[in-house]
């Protein structure tokens, strides 16, 4: 059978459930690759609607393989135009599903293959695709097989030489991994460039960018004295918004040298900003490709939060150069090896660049909002999963954020210096290898001198551990009883105890001080610790600095929580005490109900605690702003067996309204004080901006007319996006003519700036306004909305899906809206579509009426023909 008559695979959306049942990939079935690839040569003849790709693969049998298996090259939606082996065309290759299979004798061969792809039609944004006239790639996890037939798995590492040619006017900039070694122009108006990456890498780290771009260039001198050229590539007109990203990159390079001893290893580091991108960014060796939202920032168009996000993501992708690139994953079950470790590294970096105290609270808030619900739902999985149908579904908060917390626990138990010895040993042992989570644990054990045999359960067991702490006092002895349990999760009914490091202190109530902090490692199901020398019952402060990603039930009294909120010297513990004080009040109101006396007492305790925070001169405004944030609705729902989301919103808003009235004078003064602070990017000014909007949030609930007036004035007088967006966020939730006026002004002011218009969509979809559902429906018809851009889809629909009061409308119209979106988006961009399924998948934790409506929408999605395996897996697991 020759190429003209060979059966072809579906062109672009090949991963469909009807085409073939999605196979179950199991970690225990891992086998080393049968063939290795030493060198790869790629030649691209670039075009938006037709790109021809030629590959030369130097392959050799793996001594760890079976010596009998053929060469299997993965493909997805591509067809081979020609295949040659050792310079001779062959016809005895065959297709096995999407894969190309060649029977090869002997030990080593030179395999050449030609393919052709259409980047313009690639709406999945995986492989080689077009974005606003430029070409770029996204190959993690399995995108390279959409470009070329290849053993597309992370344990096949090769060096790459890449040649690109294309129209000089259309693609004046040609970029790939490594260093540019040659370039030139042709008489026909085309030009070419050759790149070489000397460091062996898996195919998921391959990258190519071609387009009309401009550069912000700088350099960095490494600790060994080498000069590294740094370039950030963007579209013309965006270059002035890249300076913060460049500063962040240089800070990250220096910090990684000082903190982890890691030096950059190429002569050039490129970053390219792309507007159509499924992820946040990608750490391709020497050529990082970023979503524009994590590169572009200036005070007029980016908030303080945006500045932090740019810094954190720039750091994250740079740190992958070692934790992910130089040492990569053996298989995708080890994803947390690179992502969990690198998230911890970017968290430590961001803490060092800003407020360590505030950063820790922000990280825990993210974990509780996204990962805790994942751990208690149908999609729960260990940080090292045991099986999957579609690996893109495991780029989750569990793998990333919980994975970071698990490694942070090792650091807590070892201490920073011993932990550094462990990471140095890890990099030394596995540089240039595809490693496993077990390799990392063993290196920390050997380098830090820890016994982590039982700790390995953190990698194997899903679910958030529940720790019960009870403090007793008798005579001069305080006795702490600790117990742990881990709830059942899908596929794991019974769990084993895990080591849980708990930083703990006992406070003397009279003096307001403690006699030192202890690290207690709870490794059994139950344990008891006695503390002599306490004439009076002390106050327990436990899991300080959130030393373990667990839920704590310490049964504190209201008096204890008020005491800790005022006196605890651990900032996170102080924040946690205030959060618990509010959570206990709201959960009681939602479950057992509160009479007027109990409601008044609870509110008075919370109000007094907030009054003390507002008046505490020892707090900086960044920390004060964190302490004023009420627990989120999603976190409150996690405290209930079956939640009524609109009841949660009503109770939370009622408390906020009472606090806004009770502390109206204080919040008014706070807003005035903070409004007088001039703009800068320094911590004091950033704190003032955070507090200014927090004051408006409370005033909007307690004195809406006054809040509307102040928010409109703040909007009009703003000289930065933080103030303007904060004011519009408050106005978006109010029923006032000023709302529509400022929303229209915002759109007109920033029309044409895609990232800011994303904010315009999100602010409305995520607001407290009673008619959000109909507003989102209207926004979906707006000329600026498109399903083709993931940022725009997330801006509108994800903001709506995480807005409980609107999404959980009793009519079920919010559920239907998201289900309709998933069905419309799935054929276009399966990865983005699948990420909306978890919002419906929490139906078992919602009250029966809404649960039935959510389940019905999942069943409607499941019944759709030709569902992608991304969405199919998420839906089936949500229903099982």
């Amino acid at each position: 059978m020759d190429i003209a008559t060979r059966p072809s695979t579906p062109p672009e959306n090949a991963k469909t459930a009807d085409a073939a049942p999605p196979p179950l990939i199991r970690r225990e079935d891992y086998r080393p690759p049968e063939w290795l690839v030493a060198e790869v040569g790629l030649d691209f003849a670039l075009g938006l609607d037709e790109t021809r790709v030629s590959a030369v693969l130097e392959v050799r049998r793996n001594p760890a393989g079976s010596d009998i298996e053929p060469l299997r090259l993965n493909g997805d939606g591509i067809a081979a135009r020609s295949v040659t082996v050792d310079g001779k065309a062959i016809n005895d290759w065959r297709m096995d599903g999407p894969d190309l299979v060649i029977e090869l004798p002997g030990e080593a061969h030179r395999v050449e293959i030609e393919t052709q792809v259409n980047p313009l039609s690639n709406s999945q944004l995986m492989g080689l695709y077009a974005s606003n006239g430029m070409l770029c790639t996204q190959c993690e996890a399995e995108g390279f097989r959409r470009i070329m037939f290849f053993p597309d798995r992370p344990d096949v590492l090769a060096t790459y030489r890449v040649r690109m040619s294309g129209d000089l006017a259309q693609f004046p900039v040609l970029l790939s991994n490594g260093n540019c070694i040659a370039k030139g122009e042709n008489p026909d108006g085309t030009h070419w460039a050759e790149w070489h990456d000397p460091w062996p890498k898996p195919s998921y780290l391959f990258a190519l960018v071609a387009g009309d771009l401009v550069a912000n260039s700088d350099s960095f001198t490494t600790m060994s004295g080498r000069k590294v050229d740094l370039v950030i590539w963007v579209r013309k007109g965006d270059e002035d918004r890249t300076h913060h990203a460049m500063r962040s990159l240089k800070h990250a390079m220096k910090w990684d040298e000082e903190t982890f001893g890691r030096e950059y290893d190429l002569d050039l580091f490129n970053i390219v900003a792309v507007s159509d991108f499924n992820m946040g960014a990608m750490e391709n060796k020497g050529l990082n490709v970023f979503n524009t939202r994590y590169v572009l920032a200036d005070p007029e168009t980016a908030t303080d939060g945006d500045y932090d996000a740019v810094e954190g993501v720039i750091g994250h992708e740079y740190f992958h150069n070692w934790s992910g690139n130089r040492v990569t994953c053996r298989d995708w079950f080890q994803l947390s090896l690179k992502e969990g470790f690198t998230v911890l590294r970017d968290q430590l970096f961001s803490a060092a660049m800003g407020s360590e105290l505030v950063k820790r609270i922000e990280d825990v808030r993210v974990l509780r909002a996204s990962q805790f619900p994942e751990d208690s739902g149908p999609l729960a999985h260990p940080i090292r999963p045991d099986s999957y149908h579609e690996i893109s579904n495991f780029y989750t908060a569990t793998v990333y954020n919980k994975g970071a917390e698990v490694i942070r626990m090792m650091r807590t138990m070892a201490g920073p210096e011993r932990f550094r010895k462990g990471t140095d040993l890890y990099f030394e042992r596995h540089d240039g290898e595809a490693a496993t989570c077990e390799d990392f644990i063993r290196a920390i054990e050997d380098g830090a001198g820890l016994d982590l045999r039982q700790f390995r359960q953190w990698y194997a067991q899903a679910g958030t551990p529940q720790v019960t702490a009870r403090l007793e006092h008798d005579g001069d002895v305080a006795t702490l009883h600790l117990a742990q349990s881990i709830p059942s999760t899908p596929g794991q009914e019974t769990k084993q105890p895990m080591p849980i490091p708990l930083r703990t202190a006992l406070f003397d109530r009279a003096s307001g001080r403690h006699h030192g902090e202890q690290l207690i490692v709870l490794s059994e199901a139950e344990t008891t610790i006695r503390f002599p020398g306490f004439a009076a019952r002390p106050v327990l402060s436990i899991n300080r600095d959130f030393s373990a990603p667990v839920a704590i039930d310490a049964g504190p009294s209201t008096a204890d929580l008020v005491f800790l909120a005022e006196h605890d010297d651990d900032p996170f513990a102080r924040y946690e005490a205030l959060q618990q004080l509010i959570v206990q009040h709201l959960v009681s109101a939602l479950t057992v109900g509160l009479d007027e006396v109990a409601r008044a007492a609870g509110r008075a305790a919370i109000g007094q605690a907030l009054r003390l925070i507002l008046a505490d001169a020892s707090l900086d405004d960044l920390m004060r702003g964190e302490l004023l944030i009420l627990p989120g609705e999603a976190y409150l729902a996690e405290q209930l067996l079956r939640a009524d989301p609109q009841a949660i919103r009503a109770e939370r808003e009622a408390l906020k309204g009472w606090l806004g009235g009770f502390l109206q004078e204080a919040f008014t003064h706070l807003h005035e004080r903070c409004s007088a602070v001039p703009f800068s990017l320094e911590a004091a000014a950033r704190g003032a901006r955070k507090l200014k909007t927090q004051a408006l949030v409370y005033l909007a609930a307690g004195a809406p007319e006054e809040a509307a007036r102040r928010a409109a004035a703040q909007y009009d007088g703003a000289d930065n996006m933080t103030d303007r967006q904060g004011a519009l966020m408050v106005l978006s939730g109010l029923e006032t003519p000023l709302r529509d006026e400022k929303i229209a002004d915002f759109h007109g002011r920033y029309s044409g700036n895609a990232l800011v218009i994303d904010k315009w969509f999100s602010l409305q979809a995520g607001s407290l306004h009673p008619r959000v559902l109909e507003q989102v429906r209207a926004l979906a018809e707006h000329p600026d909305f498109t399903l083709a851009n993931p940022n725009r889809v997330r801006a509108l629909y994800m903001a709506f899906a995480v807005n409980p009061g609107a999404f959980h409308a009793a009519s079920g119209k919010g559920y239907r809206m998201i289900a309709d979106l998933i069905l419309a988006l799935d054929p276009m961009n399966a990865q983005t579509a699948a990420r909306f399924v978890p919002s419906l998948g929490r139906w078992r934790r919602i009250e029966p009426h809404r649960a039935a409506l959510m389940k019905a929408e999942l069943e409607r999605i499941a019944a759709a023909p030709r569902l992608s395996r991304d969405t199919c897996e998420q839906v089936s697991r949500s229903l099982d």
Side-chain angles (χ1 to χ4, degrees):
M1 186 180 296
D2 62 26
I3 186 67
T5 58
R6 291 180 188 275
S8 63
T9 52
E12 285 299 336
N13 201 19
K15 298 192 298 183
T16 57
D18 282 4
L24 181 68
I25 312 299
R26 300 186 301 179
R27 181 167 57 88
E28 64 183 21
D29 293 337
Y30 171 82
R31 298 294 182 272
E34 296 292 339
W35 291 83
L36 302 175
V37 183
E39 296 179 13
V40 177
L42 296 171
D43 193 323
F44 290 83
L46 299 170
L48 287 175
D49 57 358
E50 180 183 296
T51 290
R52 296 187 303 279
V53 189
S54 301
V56 179
L57 313 180
E58 302 290 346
V59 303
R60 59 180 174 83
R61 284 196 181 274
N62 186 358
S66 66
D67 292 333
I68 60 172
E69 292 294 323
L71 175 65
R72 176 176 291 272
L73 304 174
N74 306 119
D76 182 5
I78 57 175
R81 295 166 58 88
S82 67
V83 179
T84 67
V85 176
D86 298 327
K88 298 178 181 179
I90 63 169
N91 292 314
D92 58 349
W93 57 273
R94 59 187 170 86
M95 296 299 296
D96 182 9
D99 296 345
L100 189 153
V101 179
I102 310 173
E103 301 286 346
L104 292 177
E107 298 297 316
H109 299 277
R110 181 184 181 93
V111 177
E112 299 177 57
I113 306 171
E114 291 186 9
T115 64
Q116 181 175 303
V117 297
N118 183 345
L120 203 57
S121 68
N122 184 0
S123 64
Q124 299 290 334
L125 309 186
M126 286 292 291
L128 178 66
Y129 65 93
S131 174
N132 291 324
M134 65 185 290
L135 294 175
C136 58
T137 57
Q138 170 58 29
C139 292
E140 187 177 355
E142 296 177 341
F144 191 76
R145 64 185 65 187
R146 295 171 66 87
I147 301 171
M148 175 53 63
F149 292 101
F150 194 81
D152 191 14
R153 45 189 287 172
D155 57 351
V156 175
L157 280 66
T159 58
Y160 283 66
R161 288 182 180 271
V162 178
R163 188 181 194 278
M164 295 170 282
S165 62
D167 184 84
L168 177 60
Q170 189 172 30
F171 307 120
V173 176
L174 302 174
L175 305 172
S176 191
N177 308 91
N179 299 313
C180 185
I181 57 175
K183 58 184 176 180
E185 296 183 11
N186 302 314
D188 61 356
T190 63
H191 71 139
W192 56 272
E194 291 184 2
W195 291 77
H196 177 234
D197 184 358
W199 299 100
K201 65 174 179 284
S203 54
Y204 81 85
L205 289 172
F206 168 76
L208 174 156
V209 173
D212 188 1
L213 302 167
V214 296
N216 175 8
S217 301
D218 205 329
S219 65
F220 178 81
T221 301
T222 70
M223 59 185 179
S224 66
R226 286 190 309 106
K227 180 187 175 186
V228 178
D229 292 322
L230 311 177
V231 188
I232 299 178
W233 297 92
V234 293
R235 295 198 170 279
K236 187 174 182 179
D238 286 338
E239 57 269 33
D240 288 343
R241 293 196 285 157
T242 62
H243 299 300
H244 175 63
M246 183 63 80
R247 286 192 300 270
S248 298
L249 175 59
K250 296 175 74 171
H251 290 160
M253 297 176 81
K254 181 175 176 59
W255 181 89
D256 207 23
E257 289 182 344
E258 294 174 346
T259 307
F260 282 93
R262 301 298 106 193
E263 182 176 347
Y264 188 62
D265 50 10
L266 289 168
D267 300 328
L268 174 65
F269 189 89
N270 279 314
I271 289 175
V272 179
V274 179
S275 57
D276 297 299
F277 204 67
N278 283 338
M279 302 292 189
M282 180 62 212
E283 69 268 18
N284 316 298
K285 182 74 176 182
L287 176 56
N288 285 192
V289 179
F290 271 66
N291 191 316
T292 50
R293 67 179 298 188
Y294 296 115
V295 172
L296 305 180
D298 65 11
E300 174 61 21
T301 60
T303 65
D304 294 335
D306 294 330
Y307 270 79
D308 290 342
V310 168
E311 179 181 73
V313 178
I314 289 281
H316 181 96
E317 304 308 327
Y318 173 76
F319 301 145
H320 265 314
N321 186 60
W322 277 91
S323 52
N325 297 1
R326 287 284 287 266
V327 184
T328 192
C329 303
R330 185 195 72 179
D331 54 67
W332 290 119
F333 297 103
Q334 319 298 327
L335 182 58
S336 195
L337 172 71
K338 74 182 186 77
E339 296 301 347
F341 185 25
T342 305
V343 169
L344 174 63
R345 277 152 57 74
D346 82 53
Q347 290 175 347
L348 296 173
F349 165 65
S350 294
M353 295 299 104
S355 168
E356 181 179 357
L357 313 178
V358 171
K359 177 59 178 169
R360 187 62 185 136
I361 292 172
E362 290 173 346
D363 291 339
V364 174
R365 186 184 295 116
V366 169
L367 185 82
R368 286 173 167 171
S370 56
Q371 197 281 320
F372 276 24
E374 193 169 86
D375 243 352
S376 63
L379 302 179
H381 56 276
I383 63 172
R384 182 184 58 200
D386 294 318
S387 65
Y388 61 81
H389 290 286
E390 173 52 56
I391 184 56
S392 65
N393 288 331
F394 281 91
Y395 286 74
T396 61
T398 296
V399 167
Y400 279 64
N401 301 79
K402 185 177 181 179
E405 293 297 328
V406 168
I407 297 174
R408 186 187 288 265
M409 284 191 289
M410 297 187 207
R411 185 174 183 266
T412 296
M413 293 187 293
E417 291 184 4
R418 290 166 59 201
F419 180 75
R420 166 68 188 273
K421 291 180 179 179
T423 59
D424 283 352
L425 184 60
Y426 168 68
F427 290 126
E428 178 185 331
R429 283 179 176 175
H430 300 291
D431 187 12
E433 295 181 0
T436 65
C437 295
E438 175 61 28
D439 292 329
F440 182 84
I441 297 169
R442 192 177 296 117
I444 300 300
E445 275 186 319
D446 295 345
L450 292 176
D451 181 350
L452 297 174
R453 284 174 293 181
Q454 186 188 7
F455 191 86
R456 286 166 169 81
Q457 292 288 356
W458 279 99
Y459 283 84
Q461 296 185 157
T464 303
Q466 315 292 306
V467 174
T468 301
R470 293 292 180 265
L471 186 67
E472 297 177 349
H473 181 258
D474 185 23
D476 66 348
V477 176
T479 302
L480 179 61
H481 302 281
L482 296 173
Q484 65 165 291
S485 63
I486 308 172
S488 297
T489 53
Q492 294 184 340
E493 291 298 318
T494 59
K495 308 291 178 73
Q496 299 299 314
M498 302 190 295
I500 300 175
L502 299 168
R503 291 175 52 185
T504 305
L506 297 178
F507 277 82
D508 175 70
R509 191 181 298 274
S511 67
R513 293 190 292 271
H514 62 82
H515 300 297
E517 181 183 88
Q518 295 189 34
L519 181 64
I520 299 171
V521 180
L522 172 62
S523 56
E524 305 295 331
E526 298 182 4
T527 194
T528 298
I529 306 107
R530 290 177 171 79
F531 302 90
F534 288 92
R537 186 183 186 281
V539 179
L540 174 65
S541 174
I542 192 167
N543 206 26
R544 293 156 65 81
D545 199 41
F546 201 70
S547 55
V550 301
I552 300 284
D553 174 12
S557 66
T558 297
D560 284 352
L561 292 174
V562 171
F563 173 89
L564 292 171
E566 183 178 359
H567 296 288
D568 205 315
D569 59 344
D570 179 82
F572 176 81
R574 187 175 185 183
Y575 161 83
E576 183 74 339
L578 185 55
Q579 293 284 294
Q580 287 185 42
L581 182 66
I582 298 168
V583 167
Q584 286 186 6
H585 172 78
L586 291 175
V587 168
S588 294
L590 289 162
T591 53
V592 300
L594 296 174
D595 59 30
E596 290 304 313
V597 173
R599 186 180 298 275
R603 286 179 171 179
I606 296 168
Q608 181 59 23
L610 290 188
R611 188 190 294 278
L612 290 171
I613 286 164
L614 289 169
D616 190 343
S618 69
L619 290 172
D620 63 56
D621 281 346
L622 278 172
M623 186 64 186
R624 197 187 320 276
E626 287 297 320
L627 293 172
L628 289 176
I629 298 174
L630 293 178
E633 292 171 61
Y635 182 64
L636 290 168
E638 279 297 294
Q639 315 308 308
L640 307 170
L641 290 177
R642 301 290 291 266
D644 180 339
Q646 291 192 324
I648 291 173
R649 168 157 293 184
E651 198 64 50
R652 184 177 182 273
E653 288 304 304
L655 173 62
K656 190 197 298 181
W658 183 88
L659 290 168
F662 177 67
L663 297 170
Q664 181 174 350
E665 183 178 347
F667 283 127
T668 299
H669 172 73
L670 182 68
H671 188 262
E672 291 172 352
R673 173 177 74 80
C674 293
S675 296
V677 178
F679 176 84
S680 81
L681 292 174
E682 299 302 314
R686 287 163 57 98
R689 290 192 290 276
K690 175 185 284 192
L691 276 179
K692 191 189 307 185
T693 294
Q694 278 296 312
L696 284 180
V697 166
Y698 281 100
L699 290 172
E705 291 184 2
E706 174 66 10
R709 183 187 67 79
R710 286 182 173 273
Q714 178 173 312
Y715 179 95
D716 291 337
D719 60 356
N720 62 88
M721 180 54 73
T722 304
D723 282 348
R724 182 164 284 121
Q725 178 177 307
L728 189 59
M729 179 267 292
V730 170
L731 286 169
S732 294
L734 296 174
E735 298 222 60
T736 169
L738 292 169
R739 175 188 185 275
D740 294 341
E741 175 189 328
K742 301 310 177 188
I743 284 175
D745 179 86
F746 191 91
H747 184 273
R749 185 187 295 259
Y750 298 107
S751 181
N753 186 315
L755 292 179
V756 183
I757 296 303
D758 284 342
K759 297 176 185 295
W760 183 78
F761 279 98
S762 290
L763 286 169
Q764 296 174 76
S767 83
L768 296 172
H769 198 278
R771 294 193 300 277
V772 168
L773 189 63
E774 60 190 77
Q775 291 163 0
V776 171
R777 191 176 292 115
L779 287 168
E781 301 298 322
H782 193 279
D784 285 344
F785 183 76
T786 174
L787 285 179
N789 179 264
N791 279 358
R792 189 56 47 86
V793 172
R794 289 186 288 259
L796 179 62
Y797 283 109
M798 193 59 80
F800 173 75
V802 298
N803 182 349
F807 175 64
H808 290 286
S811 66
K813 291 181 179 179
Y815 310 144
R816 177 152 291 254
M817 178 182 287
I818 293 301
D820 287 344
L821 168 72
I822 293 168
L823 290 170
L825 192 58
D826 189 58
M828 299 171 57
N829 189 324
Q831 277 194 24
T832 302
R835 293 189 180 277
F836 284 89
V837 174
S839 59
L840 293 167
R842 298 283 298 161
W843 61 274
R844 290 179 181 84
R845 296 293 301 274
I846 303 298
E847 57 83 19
H849 169 72
R850 290 179 174 85
L853 296 173
M854 296 170 78
K855 184 182 179 185
E857 294 301 332
L858 286 169
E859 291 170 340
R860 182 165 69 92
I861 298 169
R866 296 187 64 80
L867 205 61
S868 74
R869 72 175 193 237
D870 306 67
T871 300
C872 180
E873 179 179 27
Q874 294 286 76
V875 171
S876 61
R877 290 178 64 199
S878 297
L879 287 170
D880 284 345

